[in-house]
């Protein structure tokens, strides 16, 4: 039976582990499509345009928003971020799930959109604030100033944990990933995600009537 594409949203304060968990999910299921966001921030070392982000000028970003090219968009850490609409629609039309690594503002916009009924939202919490800071430092990608800025914003992001479908405390990475796979598998089996169920039940009914 076919499946309707699911929009899987991961949010967390920066450093809690959503990129790591996203990478694992994509390795686990190569049919998952990752929504490559657009951003006006500068690329970090190693980040590839079109793979990690679409790096846009502010003018281009604003034009895309004005032309309704973004499914959602938000201002985070002084830069604009948004999810281009066309690739998401294409994946959903093919019955593929789409994975989003976006903040709470974007999550809320998608949940409240026409695609909201086909959304799974998961919030990742750190085991402690001390560990969150340790992870940001150990990732080695940001200056002290950027790390302080991310830490200051972390409470703002954490304060929205209550509006997500599921909340995972990412202490042990393997255990968190197991839970995430379980949640995705269960949500894929939701009645709404299985458009062919009605026809299957009709077939069962016909067979039932023929046999009785
Ligand atoms: P985010 O995408 O939420 O900003 P990352 O996935 O980049 O966070 O993780 C931040 C850092 O913490 C990375 O160096 C990553 O390897 C590490 N990390 C992620 N999850 C765990 C975990 N459960 N235990 C220890 N380190 C982790
Ligand atoms: P970073 O600069 O560390 O890659 O991302 C900073 C924050 O922006 C993270 O919380 C990330 O989830 C969020 N983000 C990344 N892409 C998008 C997007 O397309 N939309 C929204 N709303 N947030 C995004």
């Amino acid at each position: 039976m076919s499946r309707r594409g699911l929009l899987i949203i991961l949010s967390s304060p920066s450093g809690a582990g959503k990129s790591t968990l996203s990478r694992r999910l994509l390795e686990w299921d190569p049919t998952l499509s990752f929504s490559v966001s657009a951003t006006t921030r500068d690329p970090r070392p190693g980040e590839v345009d079109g793979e990690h982000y679409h790096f846009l000028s502010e003018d281009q970003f604003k034009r895309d928003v004005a032309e309704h090219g973004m499914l959602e968009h938000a201002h985070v850490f002084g830069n604009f971020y948004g999810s281009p609409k066309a690739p998401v629609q294409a994946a959903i039309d093919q019955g593929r799930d789409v994975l989003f690594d976006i903040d709470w503002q974007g999550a809320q916009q998608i949940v409240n959109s026409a695609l909201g009924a086909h959304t799974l939202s998961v919030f990742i919490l750190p085991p402690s604030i001390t560990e969150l800071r340790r992870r940001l430092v150990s990732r080695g990608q940001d200056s002290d100033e950027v790390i302080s800025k991310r830490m200051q914003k972390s409470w703002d992001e954490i304060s929205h944990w209550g509006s997500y479908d599921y909340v995972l405390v990412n202490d042990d990475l393997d255990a968190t990933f197991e839970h995430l796979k379980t949640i995705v598998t269960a949500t894929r089996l939701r009645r709404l995600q299985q458009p062919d169920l009605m026809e299957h039940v009709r077939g069962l009914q016909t067979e039932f009537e023929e046999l009785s």
Side-chain angles (χ1 to χ4, degrees):
M1 280 195 286
S2 67
R3 275 200 310 111
R4 187 165 277 146
L6 189 65
L7 280 65
I8 303 169
I9 301 172
L10 292 188
S11 300
S12 77
S14 191
K18 64 193 169 310
S19 310
T20 308
L21 289 161
S22 296
R23 271 197 299 277
R24 285 203 174 193
L25 268 186
L26 293 164
E27 279 163 22
W28 170 63
D29 181 355
T31 71
L32 258 178
S33 163
F34 181 69
S35 170
V36 179
S37 295
T39 183
T40 58
R41 84 151 160 76
D42 292 332
R44 293 193 193 117
E47 281 185 332
V48 178
D49 188 29
E51 188 181 323
H52 299 92
Y53 279 104
H54 300 287
F55 295 100
L56 304 184
S57 67
E58 210 166 300
D59 279 354
Q60 182 64 54
F61 188 96
K62 286 182 174 165
R63 253 198 314 276
D64 287 358
V65 170
E67 288 166 6
H68 307 286
M70 299 286 179
L71 185 56
E72 59 75 32
H73 61 95
H75 199 238
V76 190
F77 305 132
N79 291 296
F80 292 102
Y81 291 82
S83 308
K85 199 186 277 178
V88 176
Q89 197 57 59
I92 294 297
D93 289 347
Q94 293 164 18
R96 295 176 66 190
D97 300 339
V98 185
L99 180 62
F100 296 82
D101 169 344
I102 59 176
D103 85 329
W104 68 271
Q105 304 172 79
Q108 245 174 40
Q109 290 171 47
I110 294 182
V111 167
N112 292 328
S113 75
L115 294 167
H118 303 287
T119 296
L120 162 65
S121 64
V122 183
F123 197 87
I124 313 293
L125 283 173
S128 69
I129 300 298
T130 308
E131 172 64 8
L132 183 67
R133 190 180 161 75
R134 193 199 65 74
R135 286 183 192 173
L136 277 177
V137 172
S138 76
R139 188 165 70 181
Q141 281 179 336
D142 297 311
S143 65
D144 288 353
E145 192 195 335
V146 171
I147 289 176
S148 300
K149 211 161 143 193
R150 286 176 186 272
M151 286 302 292
Q152 279 165 24
K153 291 288 281 178
S154 66
W155 188 253
D156 184 33
E157 187 72 23
I158 290 173
S159 68
H160 295 279
W161 67 277
S163 54
Y164 284 72
D165 296 325
Y166 292 88
V167 179
L168 298 173
V169 178
N170 180 21
D171 192 350
D172 178 83
L173 183 60
D174 289 338
T176 308
F177 182 55
E178 285 306 313
H179 286 145
L180 188 56
K181 281 191 295 183
T182 304
I183 290 167
V184 169
T185 303
T187 309
R188 283 174 167 174
L189 293 169
R190 276 195 320 211
R191 186 165 41 84
L192 261 183
Q193 298 310 121
Q194 301 189 67
D196 296 344
L197 271 185
M198 186 59 96
E199 197 160 322
H200 182 68
V201 173
R202 273 202 206 101
L204 292 179
Q205 186 181 15
T206 306
E207 190 184 350
F208 183 77
E209 285 165 0
E210 281 168 3
L211 289 175
S212 54

